[in-house]
Amino acid sequence: MSRAAPPARILITGASGCVGQHIAAQLYQETDAELLLLLRDPAKLTAVPADDPRVTLLVADLRDLTAHAGAIATATRVIHTATAWGDPERAMAVNVVAVKQLLAFTTPEWLEQVIVFSTASVLDRQLQLLPEALSEGTEYIQTKALCLQQLETHPLAARIVAVFPTLVFGGRVDGQGPFPTSYLTAGLGEACRWLWLAKWLRADASFHFIHAADIARVCVHLATQPHQPNPEPGQGELRRLVLGQPVISVNDTVTQLCRWRRSWRPPLGLNLRGWLIEALIKLLRIEVNAWDRFSIRQRHFVHEPVSPPERFGLVSHAPNLTAVFETAGLPHRGLPKR
């Protein structure tokens, strides 16, 4: 009799973050995989039982993985969600250098697949790298773009799936629940404070969004299927997937937020043109950098194709903004309780 294949050993970096915990929880609940969770602070792990025999915590900063090189070498799959921004030196060390070190510690004979997280902001409509990401991007955008360039020619490129989340919702506005709150969900309360102004404005802009649970759904699907050569047309060995729901306009977003908050929105509004945007920037004392100005000029962050869970025969947790608001516990009236 042939023996059953041993369970997968899946390494998840950034395992205490919003997306990382969603991925870890789904893998823990729906598979028999052994989970290697790389994180800096075990106290932040709330969605997975740390004392379960299937869970091994690798406590470390991504910039110094040497102590866990042996454990990393045993991984059959890697899901790399960890990232850094704010400080240029740290962003380069985490988003570029540490990725190469992490891949160097894996064992090519055992490694089946690597899912690397980037950001959809570095890609154009056709999923090609935006030149402006390197020339005008923040330290976060520039290092993500540089990492993508390097991964395209990496010896393991044929086993790498690069995922590019769009705007990410996750967790609850009140900070309660088993999962951390994403920056975008945390910002819903602030958005409600400015709704009195936003509802009088109109903007020619559009974007995609996705919930952390749906990012996890796609990643778990990829991580539990046999890895195949890149089936996406027009790409190289490294597969690019932009994770998001169908495009939505800024105007529709404000309308839906008004409807959720039971706030009247006037049928006509003031169009946000270049001179008016500059005036609001000065009036509200908003700090803008070169990437902010590029984004204002770009306006439409749209990608084709975009990959919600439905593209893989799955069902989205939050396919629309109404589901996002409900999942986030956004109140219909008043402000979120603190």
Side-chain angles (χ1 to χ4, degrees):
M1 291 181 61
S2 60
R3 294 183 178 180
R9 287 179 61 82
I10 301 178
L11 169 66
I12 304 172
T13 71
S16 62
C18 178
V19 173
Q21 294 214 49
H22 271 282
I23 294 172
Q26 288 189 24
L27 284 169
Y28 176 78
Q29 295 165 7
E30 300 173 13
T31 76
D32 64 350
E34 298 174 358
L35 304 180
L36 307 174
L37 304 185
L38 182 66
L39 70 178
R40 287 187 298 172
D41 184 359
K44 294 183 178 180
L45 186 67
T46 53
V48 176
D51 57 352
D52 189 281
R54 288 171 49 206
V55 176
T56 300
L57 300 188
L58 308 180
V59 181
D61 189 294
L62 201 65
R63 293 169 291 182
D64 186 11
L65 298 175
T66 306
H68 298 300
I72 295 171
T74 68
T76 58
R77 306 253 178 164
V78 174
I79 304 177
H80 177 55
T81 78
T83 192
W85 60 87
D87 175 68
E89 183 177 345
R90 183 168 181 266
M92 177 63 71
V94 172
N95 299 340
V96 180
V97 178
V99 178
K100 291 187 285 187
Q101 184 62 77
L102 176 68
L103 295 178
F105 281 147
T106 63
T107 304
E109 293 81 9
W110 296 346
L111 187 66
E112 299 173 16
Q113 181 189 70
V114 181
I115 299 174
V116 177
F117 274 65
S118 185
T119 171
S121 297
V122 304
L123 300 181
D124 65 13
R125 181 183 292 263
Q126 288 75 38
L127 276 58
Q128 300 303 306
L129 184 63
L130 279 167
E132 292 86 354
L134 289 167
S135 63
E136 301 181 43
T138 63
E139 77 290 329
Y140 172 72
I141 296 295
Q142 288 183 342
T143 53
K144 286 297 187 180
L146 180 59
C147 181
L148 176 62
Q149 283 187 323
Q150 296 182 358
L151 290 176
E152 292 280 6
T153 59
H154 195 278
L156 294 173
R159 300 183 221 178
I160 296 175
V161 180
V163 294
F164 302 84
T166 50
L167 298 180
V168 178
F169 290 98
R172 292 178 54 86
V173 292
D174 61 7
Q176 302 301 311
F179 297 103
T181 302
S182 75
Y183 289 100
L184 196 59
T185 294
L188 286 174
E190 186 69 17
C192 291
R193 294 186 182 95
W194 288 99
L195 194 58
W196 65 270
L197 174 61
K199 67 183 182 180
W200 290 98
L201 303 176
R202 302 295 182 269
D204 180 25
S206 54
F207 60 94
H208 303 276
F209 69 88
I210 192 163
H211 195 279
D214 292 324
I215 295 175
R217 178 59 58 207
V218 172
C219 289
V220 169
H221 171 78
L222 295 171
T224 53
Q225 299 295 316
H227 185 71
Q228 302 291 337
N230 186 6
E232 306 291 337
Q235 300 182 6
E237 289 187 317
L238 185 147
R239 187 178 188 184
R240 301 181 185 186
L241 294 174
V242 172
L243 304 184
Q245 298 294 341
V247 66
I248 184 172
S249 72
V250 169
N251 291 333
D252 284 343
T253 300
V254 175
T255 296
Q256 291 191 43
L257 187 55
C258 285
R259 186 179 300 124
W260 182 266
R261 297 285 289 180
R262 298 168 182 158
S263 175
W264 174 77
R265 191 182 194 207
L268 298 177
L270 185 61
N271 286 323
L272 281 175
R273 303 187 185 278
W275 66 269
L276 182 55
I277 293 175
E278 289 296 331
L280 286 173
I281 288 173
K282 292 180 181 179
L283 176 65
L284 301 176
R285 298 181 181 179
I286 301 173
E287 293 186 10
V288 295
N289 53 38
W291 183 251
D292 295 329
R293 294 198 176 278
F294 166 74
S295 299
I296 293 171
R297 296 194 306 269
Q298 179 87 346
R299 298 200 317 275
H300 299 282
F301 282 87
V302 178
H303 306 280
E304 298 174 358
V306 69
S307 297
E310 281 73 12
R311 191 171 183 226
F312 306 93
L314 307 169
V315 178
S316 289
H317 173 75
N320 51 55
L321 286 179
T322 298
V324 166
F325 300 154
E326 183 174 2
T327 302
L330 183 67
H332 289 287
R333 287 279 187 180
L335 296 175
K337 293 181 180 180
R338 298 297 182 184

